[in-house]
């Protein structure tokens, strides 16, 4: 049954991450904790569906300041599909050279910063040039990508480089090539992508480990916490504290 095959494959992706990516996740978590602990920002970028990983890290319940989401609506606003702000435009913009440089001009980077770039394929121009732009500013770059898909695909960047070729550290989301894992009888093309499952699991694993490391340093983060844990009144106050912490950290950026 197709739904069971999907769930089993999704579990296999998570098992592969656990079996092969723990060292990379630990290394990246140390980098991020060092950045945040020293007053820097961990910039987050993803276009297309990879924007989900950016917002999974911050801001949502169970997250905290120190991470800085960069979400460009022009390449992430999917619900229009066709017409104004449609998917055709977004897919086109993802492969326009120079677009990343325009985005990066809006931010001020300091030596303590680092950047995580999410891209399942690792072959589109925009995420590759975001990574290149960060590297040109001497900012360490972390990639979260499907190495199997990336290695099986041609880069769309003029250099021929993929995201994993630019990054200092790459975490493999262990997604199989093609990002659709279930073949349905009499249906020509597979369905059921798993890249989001692997990537979001990695994002949350990093977030949890960084919180642990910061707390061990005596710098416990101010966590966005819902009313289930604190009650409505205290939760509202905690959310304000977390937003104020974010405002203080990004002031002047």
């Amino acid at each position: 049954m197709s739904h069971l095959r999907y769930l089993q494959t999704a579990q296999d992706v998570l098992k592969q991450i656990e079996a092969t990516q723990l060292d990379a996740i630990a290394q990246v978590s140390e980098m991020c904790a060092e950045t945040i602990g020293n007053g820097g920002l961990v910039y987050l970028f993803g276009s297309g569906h990879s924007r989900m990983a950016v917002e999974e890290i911050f801001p949502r319940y169970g997250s905290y300041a120190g991470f800085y989401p960069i979400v460009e609506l022009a390449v992430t606003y999917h619900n229009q599909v066709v017409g104004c702000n449609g998917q055709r435009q977004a897919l086109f913009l993802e492969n326009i050279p120079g677009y990343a440089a325009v985005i990066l001009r809006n931010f001020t980077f300091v030596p303590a910063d680092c950047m995580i770039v999410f891209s399942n394929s690792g072959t589109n121009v925009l995420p590759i040039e975001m990574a290149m732009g960060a590297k040109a500013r001497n900012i360490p770059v972390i990639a979260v990508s499907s190495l199997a898909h990336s290695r099986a695909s041609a880069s769309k960047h003029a250099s021929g480089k993929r995201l994993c070729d630019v990054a200092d550290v790459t975490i493999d989301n262990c997604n199989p090539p093609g990002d659709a894992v279930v073949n349905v009888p009499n249906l020509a093309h597979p369905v059921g992508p798993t890249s989001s499952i692997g990537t979001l699991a990695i994002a949350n694993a990093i977030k949890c480990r960084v919180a642990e490391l910061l707390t061990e340093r005596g710098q416990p983060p101010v966590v966005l916490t819902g009313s289930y844990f604190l009650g409505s009144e205290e939760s509202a106050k905690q959310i304000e504290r977390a937003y104020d912490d974010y405002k203080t950290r990004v002031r002047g950026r």
Side-chain angles (χ1 to χ4, degrees):
M1 292 181 288
S2 60
H3 54 299
L4 179 58
R5 288 202 302 275
Y6 179 81
L7 293 174
Q8 290 172 337
T9 304
Q11 290 178 64
D12 289 342
V13 167
L14 294 177
K15 289 175 182 175
Q16 288 181 54
I17 291 171
E18 183 178 358
T20 65
Q21 300 304 304
L22 289 186
D23 287 347
I25 291 170
Q27 181 183 355
V28 167
S29 299
E30 293 278 357
M31 292 169 66
C32 293
E34 188 72 13
T35 288
I36 296 171
N38 289 330
L41 295 173
V42 179
Y43 287 88
L44 310 167
F45 180 79
S47 59
H49 287 92
S50 294
R51 68 89 58 88
M52 291 190 291
V54 172
E55 294 180 346
E56 185 74 12
I57 293 186
F58 188 84
R60 63 164 300 168
Y61 285 152
S63 66
Y64 47 91
F67 296 97
Y68 192 117
I70 301 176
V71 175
E72 285 289 310
L73 291 183
V75 288
T76 60
Y77 192 63
H78 290 154
N79 63 326
Q80 294 290 86
V81 185
V82 296
C84 294
N85 305 301
Q87 277 287 83
R88 291 187 179 95
Q89 297 94 302
L91 292 171
F92 176 78
L93 288 171
E94 275 190 309
N95 286 298
I96 295 297
Y99 187 16
V102 176
I103 296 171
L104 289 168
R105 283 196 66 185
N106 292 285
F107 303 96
T108 300
F109 297 92
V110 302
D113 295 337
C114 67
M115 179 180 287
I116 304 177
V117 180
F118 298 92
S119 172
N120 183 63
S121 73
T123 60
N124 286 328
V125 171
L126 179 55
I128 292 170
E129 290 195 347
M130 287 293 289
M132 289 177 167
K135 292 277 288 183
R137 293 164 173 80
N138 297 314
I139 304 301
V141 174
I142 298 137
V144 180
S145 185
S146 166
L147 291 182
H149 184 106
S150 188
R151 288 167 178 163
S153 307
S155 173
K156 297 175 184 176
H157 192 265
S159 69
K161 291 183 178 181
R162 301 169 178 84
L163 178 60
C164 61
D165 299 323
V166 179
D168 297 285
V169 183
T170 296
I171 302 176
D172 186 0
N173 69 17
C174 296
N175 196 54
D179 200 17
V181 299
V182 175
N183 291 298
V184 174
N186 301 314
L187 182 62
H189 304 293
V191 295
T194 53
S195 61
S196 297
I197 289 174
T199 300
L200 297 185
I202 289 166
N204 279 299
I206 293 169
K207 186 166 59 178
C208 292
R209 179 58 177 154
V210 172
E212 183 178 31
L213 290 168
L214 289 172
T215 302
E216 290 173 354
R217 291 174 61 133
Q219 298 173 305
V222 183
V223 180
L224 285 163
T225 305
S227 59
Y228 176 85
F229 293 104
L230 295 177
S232 297
E233 185 175 345
E234 186 57 34
S235 172
K237 293 178 181 177
Q238 179 72 0
I239 289 169
E240 288 299 318
R241 286 191 286 266
Y243 290 159
D244 286 341
D245 185 28
Y246 181 78
K247 180 176 68 174
T248 298
R249 289 175 183 273
V250 304
R251 184 174 289 128
R253 297 299 190 103

